[in-house]
Amino acid sequence: MGIGGRRMRARISGTGMCLPERRVTNKDLEVMMETSDEWIVQRSGIRERRWVSEGETPADLAEVASRTACERAGIDPEELDCIIVPTLSSQYEFPGTSFFLQERFGGTVPCFDLRAQCTGFIYSLSIANALVISGQYQRVLVCGAEVHSTGLDKSTEGRDVTVLFGDGAGAIVVEAAEDDSNPAGILDVTLHAQGKYAKKLWVPWGSALFPERLNADALDERLHFPRMDGRHVFKNAVTRMPEVMAESLDAAGVKKPDIDLFLFHQANLRINEFVANAAEIPAEKVRNNIQRYGNCSAASIPILLSEAHDEGLLEPGKLVCLTGFGSGFSWGSAVVRF
Ligand code: UT7
């Protein structure tokens, strides 16, 4: 229950996105490493991704995405009560990227980064929802922002991971839904994690276990680049995503055919086709953008939301299911009415 015994509800009132200008095609990657357009398209569906140009930061991308989300929500960024930045590619070791975003808006509103990798956006949605329905805040910004490209091994050794990832930011504003005649709201967010598989997709670099955290040996061993057991990640993703989607739909009291749009995390087009098949979701209800942007981790789902808005798919009343899986392992699903 919310303030005064009234049940509080939170809704998504604005979406925004920002992709770097620089396009990197599979052909461009062929010059850097032993790979091929054919392999990348066949295994992942990716045709190109965006990578930042020198000097472009996660906060730069986040600012543009966030300003658009605020504008569409009809508020000034100064009116936000809290800023959450899910990211796995923080601008600096500390403080988090959220502080460099908050700086752009001025003021003293609280901000924090959330580390749940590719499920970071769904985790953040859950926190934003809780902050709003508890009555603590009225307007919370969630902005997934990632610059992966500067942390990828662009030699043949790193090709399994490097070809998959892109840079970008996507943002939403979560607001208290005060109009009782408008049923828009976040109906459920269901989250899971399984730390036993933390090292199936991870970066060992900078560990608190290393003397001085960074050292030449670690660099020689290339510990600063992501490592992934791709097959293990794939198998878990295609099992966990339909599972958690069903849980969330159940918790929201919504039947699958009632959902207008399914937006999945963009790790691999084959994963998403698998999930849609397993859950018997018709292809026309699923939107993907991995072909153009690659995997933007915590930014992928909010970028999809922003594109769905642009395409007129988020009209009032539309029911949308968001589902993600990522490193940790972490996974989650949400049901949202617009
Ligand atoms: O948000 C979560 C993030 N990550 C994921 O969800 C990733 C999940 N996993 C996957 O998407 C897939 O496992 C990959 C796309 C990463 C790889 O596809 P795969 O069908 O599982 O291939 P594989 O790892 O079994 O590798 C097959 C072959 C290997 O060569 P050999 O040993 O058969 O000779 C690799 O060395 O493909 C080779 N290979 C490549 N070849 C060309 C690996 N990466 C590349 C590459 N270009 N980029």
Side-chain angles (χ1 to χ4, degrees):
M1 282 293 172
I3 294 159
R6 220 173 97 219
R7 187 159 191 88
M8 296 289 278
R9 222 167 0 98
R11 67 188 178 96
I12 296 179
S13 58
T15 62
M17 62 188 263
C18 178
L19 278 307
E21 293 281 310
R22 188 177 150 217
R23 286 192 149 80
V24 178
T25 64
N26 294 343
K27 288 273 172 217
D28 294 329
L29 295 181
E30 284 178 12
V31 180
M32 301 176 204
M33 61 189 82
E34 281 174 37
T35 189
S36 67
D37 177 53
E38 193 194 355
W39 191 96
I40 300 170
V41 172
Q42 217 172 64
R43 307 278 174 143
S44 72
I46 300 167
R47 294 185 178 274
E48 61 177 45
R49 70 287 294 140
R50 305 293 185 88
W51 283 0
V52 290
S53 303
E54 210 181 324
E56 208 173 4
T57 67
D60 292 338
L61 304 177
E63 181 182 0
V64 176
S66 302
R67 286 194 186 279
T68 308
C70 289
E71 199 183 308
R72 287 178 177 170
I75 62 165
D76 287 328
E78 293 76 17
E79 293 177 77
L80 293 167
D81 299 318
C82 180
I83 296 171
I84 309 175
V85 175
T87 184
L88 73 74
S89 54
S90 194
Q91 191 153 325
Y92 292 98
E93 189 59 30
F94 75 84
T97 302
S98 57
F99 291 82
F100 297 96
L101 174 62
Q102 197 260 16
E103 180 193 9
R104 311 285 175 101
F105 303 145
T108 61
V109 296
C111 64
F112 59 94
D113 285 24
L114 189 145
R115 298 184 62 181
Q117 301 66 251
C118 295
T119 321
F121 177 76
I122 308 238
Y123 268 68
S124 300
L125 182 68
S126 172
I127 304 298
N129 184 44
L131 288 169
V132 170
I133 63 177
S134 70
Q136 184 169 357
Y137 295 130
Q138 289 277 305
R139 297 180 179 113
V140 179
L141 176 82
V142 175
C143 180
E146 307 281 6
V147 170
H148 293 305
S149 58
T150 51
L152 297 171
D153 179 356
K154 299 184 184 88
S155 75
T156 298
E157 215 175 307
R159 65 183 178 176
D160 59 328
V161 174
T162 299
V163 301
L164 303 177
F165 286 92
D167 303 337
I172 59 164
V173 175
V174 176
E175 280 197 69
E178 281 160 343
D179 178 0
D180 285 338
S181 64
N182 178 354
I186 297 163
L187 307 187
D188 176 68
V189 189
T190 298
L191 305 174
H192 289 288
Q194 198 171 22
K196 115 172 160 178
Y197 295 132
K199 293 184 178 176
K200 294 292 183 187
L201 175 49
W202 70 312
V203 176
W205 181 256
S207 165
L209 299 175
F210 303 161
E212 298 171 348
R213 302 223 170 200
L214 310 182
N215 57 54
D217 289 347
L219 195 58
D220 286 346
E221 289 172 46
R222 307 168 83 77
L223 297 184
H224 53 307
F225 292 129
R227 295 165 173 219
M228 175 172 76
D229 179 344
R231 291 200 166 187
H232 191 83
V233 177
F234 195 105
K235 275 190 209 145
N236 278 267
V238 298
T239 313
R240 295 308 195 179
M241 287 172 71
E243 244 174 50
V244 71
M245 192 196 306
E247 265 184 84
S248 189
L249 289 169
D250 231 31
V254 169
K255 298 261 172 282
K256 215 182 291 164
D258 299 333
I259 297 286
D260 297 294
L261 185 62
F262 291 86
L263 301 178
F264 303 138
H265 171 56
Q266 303 290 294
N268 185 322
L269 195 58
R270 283 169 54 219
I271 291 180
N272 291 355
E273 287 166 356
F274 231 94
V275 170
N277 261 337
E280 296 177 345
I281 298 166
E284 62 272 16
K285 285 197 173 184
V286 181
R287 315 295 293 182
N288 289 297
N289 60 20
I290 188 167
Q291 303 91 327
R292 289 171 284 133
Y293 306 142
N295 181 351
C296 299
S297 295
S300 282
I301 291 179
I303 291 172
L304 277 170
L305 276 170
S306 185
E307 289 190 324
H309 168 91
D310 295 341
E311 289 173 43
L313 301 174
L314 303 183
E315 295 134 353
K318 292 283 183 199
L319 264 179
V320 180
C321 178
L322 314 170
T323 306
F325 181 91
S327 155
F329 289 157
S330 57
W331 63 101
S333 188
V335 179
V336 180
R337 193 191 302 278
F338 281 82

